[in-house]
Amino acid sequence: DQSPIGKTTRSNPASYVGAFDEIRDLFSRTDTAKERGYTAGTFSFNSGNGRCPTCGGNGFEHVEMQFLSDVYLRCPDCDGRRYRPEILEITIEGKSIADVLDMTVSEAITFFKGDYKVAAALRPLAEVGLEYLRLGQPVPTLSGGEAQRLKLAGHLAEAANSRLNTQNATLFLFDEPTTGLHFEDISKLLKAFRKLISAGNALVVIEHNLDVIRASDWIIDLGPEGGEAGGEVVCVGTPDEAMACEASHTGKALREYEQVSAPVEAVAPLTQH
């Protein structure tokens, strides 16, 4: 649903999927960090001695206004970079941890391509179409749709780290998840759905998008019309069975759709890796 993921500005996409823990650990294993006795906790902006003492690692100062909206001012000491100067001296290929937080997801995946754990932790964000977000972007600034996809990325990260286990499976309910999405994003969404299913989960999707309907394993077609003329189960079965049902408007739309265009790439069964 579109309920807020969190109200704190300290939460970000990288921390939500667990990638920030791997990144901090990577910085703590550099030679300079070892010489200075820095640990992964030193590179946290939530606690520890590495964060800027003025803003407490927020990167800005919060000024409460009595009659107007609150004001957020860039921290004058760290200039919004969250950390003490000596922490920013620790770099990986010339990039400090503040530089990494300012990267987009796609830039970070390329930058950390040599480290499997970090790249694997970030990949779910790209798989749900959030590759343009910056790693350190505060979660409360995301739109409702972005927040939903971030939640989905979190579940994909869990699925990647767990073996197939139907005893702990989750039933996901999606209500029109393709609303406002580009065709390319719909293809990514379908691939994400397939990964959730391959991990032993189940999905119930309320949808009118023909690509999603054609990619489903089972259809419950309600109708035959909308409003007072609807509410009945017209047909139940596979997409092919729905297309064979003459009374189904969905089946008719699927038949016409297949005649004029090929389904998107994600409709085909995905190769298991």
Side-chain angles (χ1 to χ4, degrees), residues 34-69:
K34 290 179 180 178
E35 291 173 2
R36 299 183 182 182
Y38 293 167
T39 65
T42 308
F43 295 92
S44 171
F45 54 76
N46 291 323
S47 61
N49 298 323
R51 61 180 180 171
C52 171
T54 303
C55 64
N58 275 317
F60 56 83
E61 293 181 308
H62 180 198
V63 181
E64 294 186 3
M65 306 294 286
Q66 189 169 1
F67 301 107
L68 301 172
S69 298

Side-chain angles (χ1 to χ4, degrees), residues 72-233:
Y72 296 89
L73 301 175
R74 184 185 294 269
C75 177
D77 286 350
C78 68
D79 193 30
R81 293 174 68 78
R82 301 174 182 253
Y83 295 93
R84 294 176 181 270
E86 57 268 27
I87 303 302
L88 299 180
E89 293 174 358
I90 310 300
T91 61
I92 296 176
E93 296 183 16
K95 300 292 184 181
S96 69
I97 193 162
D99 295 327
V100 170
L101 286 171
D102 199 42
M103 292 179 180
T104 64
V105 172
S106 58
E107 290 172 344
I109 290 175
T110 301
F111 183 76
F112 289 109
K113 62 182 179 181
D115 188 279
Y116 172 78
K117 288 186 177 180
V118 177
L122 291 172
R123 200 164 292 119
L125 293 170
E127 290 174 349
V128 297
L130 295 178
E131 66 277 356
Y132 59 88
L133 291 183
R134 298 198 177 277
L135 298 191
Q137 181 172 339
V139 163
T141 65
L142 302 181
S143 69
E146 288 172 334
Q148 285 190 76
R149 282 187 281 169
L150 182 57
K151 293 176 185 178
L152 180 56
H155 286 291
L156 286 175
E158 291 179 7
N161 293 326
S162 61
R163 295 182 179 180
L164 180 62
N165 184 2
T166 55
Q167 297 298 320
N168 297 321
T170 299
L171 173 63
F172 292 90
L173 305 179
F174 291 91
D175 186 3
E176 301 279 3
T178 65
T179 301
L181 295 186
H182 185 271
F183 294 116
E184 182 64 27
D185 291 323
I186 293 174
S187 176
K188 292 180 180 178
L189 182 67
L190 286 170
K191 290 179 180 179
F193 284 174
R194 289 296 184 195
K195 290 198 172 186
L196 289 176
I197 293 171
S198 65
N201 303 299
L203 278 67
V204 175
V205 185
I206 304 168
E207 187 58 78
H208 291 86
N209 181 275
L210 292 175
D211 284 323
V212 176
I213 295 173
R214 186 69 184 91
S216 63
D217 299 313
W218 196 255
I219 295 174
I220 301 174
D221 187 22
L222 299 178
E225 306 294 340
E228 294 182 355
E232 298 180 7
V233 177

